[in-house]
């Protein structure tokens, strides 16, 4: 159950779980602002996420991601934050996420793998074994920070957003 006063809502989950899409619908339904961390990072850095990874490395990306998350959650009532899939890897980020109403969008690994087979996803380029290893590494971290866990399945994003709204309203 979320806190009584409105706190920001953070959506976490593996790549392809629908964080940006559900976040957009949730923010619209609540009348709140959406912050898509990946979009914010691209704006801050003036380059794409694959470019950040290839030119500056994952460590630089994770530092910028932390800064963006801290800014997005800082005093941010009535804000929905769609996080990147690896945001939970950084302990400082997990601490920040505990201060928000955090929702884990859970999905089956096979569905996630199929959804992410396109260019522009820097950590999706490997095969299924690498994809699954990374997922298994992050799964307990998503669970650790989440106040609500939702299995997305093949449900429309608007239904998932409505379920989160009901949870927020108690």
């Amino acid at each position: 159950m979320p806190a009584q006063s409105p706190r920001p809502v953070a959506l976490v989950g593996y790549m392809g779980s629908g964080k940006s899409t559900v976040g957009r619908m949730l923010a619209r339904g609540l009348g709140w602002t959406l912050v898509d961390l990946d979009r914010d990072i691209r704006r801050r850095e003036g380059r794409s996420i694959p470019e950040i990874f290839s030119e500056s490395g994952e460590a630089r990306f994770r530092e910028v991601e932390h800064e963006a998350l801290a800014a997005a959650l800082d005093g941010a009532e009535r804000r929905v934050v769609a996080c990147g899939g690896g945001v939970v890897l950084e302990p400082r980020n997990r601490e920040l996420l505990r201060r928000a109403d955090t929702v884990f969008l859970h999905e089956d690994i096979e569905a996630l793998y199929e959804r992410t087979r396109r260019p522009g996803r820097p950590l999706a380029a490997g095969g299924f074994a690498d994809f699954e290893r990374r997922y298994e590494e992050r799964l307990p971290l998503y669970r650790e920070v989440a106040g609500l866990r939702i299995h997305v399945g093949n449900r429309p994003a608007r239904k998932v957003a409505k379920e989160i709204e009901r949870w927020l309203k108690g």
Side-chain angles (χ1 to χ4, degrees):
M1 177 71 78
Q4 292 296 351
S5 65
R7 302 190 308 170
V9 174
L11 303 178
V12 299
Y14 204 54
M15 63 181 92
S17 62
K19 299 175 299 290
S20 295
T21 304
V22 170
R24 194 169 37 256
M25 294 182 176
L26 179 61
R28 186 178 309 135
L30 294 170
W32 292 11
T33 302
L34 172 68
V35 176
D36 185 310
L37 274 193
D38 286 347
R39 187 178 310 131
D40 190 44
I41 290 165
R42 289 190 301 268
R43 182 189 52 76
R44 286 169 177 259
E45 288 290 296
R47 53 191 173 152
S48 72
I49 291 173
E51 288 171 331
I52 299 169
F53 269 76
S54 68
E55 296 169 7
S56 303
E58 186 174 355
R60 171 65 185 154
F61 173 79
R62 296 296 173 205
E63 185 59 35
V64 174
E65 182 179 54
H66 171 71
E67 293 166 4
L69 179 65
L73 296 177
D74 185 32
E77 293 180 1
R78 303 185 191 291
R79 186 176 288 175
V80 176
V81 181
C83 299
V87 74
V88 295
L89 295 172
E90 173 64 49
R92 298 178 300 169
N93 292 345
R94 293 195 303 274
E95 183 59 36
L96 288 171
L97 290 166
R98 286 185 193 95
R99 299 179 198 160
D101 289 324
T102 301
V103 179
F104 169 31
L105 299 181
H106 183 261
E107 182 59 281
D108 299 320
I109 186 73
E110 293 82 7
L112 294 169
Y113 187 73
E114 289 303 315
R115 286 183 200 147
T116 58
R117 301 299 92 201
R118 67 178 198 273
R121 295 202 179 251
L123 297 179
F128 183 78
D130 187 48
F131 189 84
E132 184 176 37
R133 178 194 56 75
R134 202 173 268 111
Y135 176 78
E136 293 298 329
E137 171 187 321
R138 296 173 184 187
L139 192 56
L141 303 175
Y142 295 136
R143 289 178 176 147
E144 175 187 323
V145 299
L148 175 65
R149 178 181 167 191
I150 295 179
H151 187 266
V152 176
N154 287 322
R155 294 187 298 155
R158 65 178 156 61
K159 287 191 176 187
V160 176
K162 286 292 183 191
E163 186 175 338
I164 297 168
E165 281 185 54
R166 284 191 301 274
W167 176 69
L168 290 169
K169 293 174 181 175

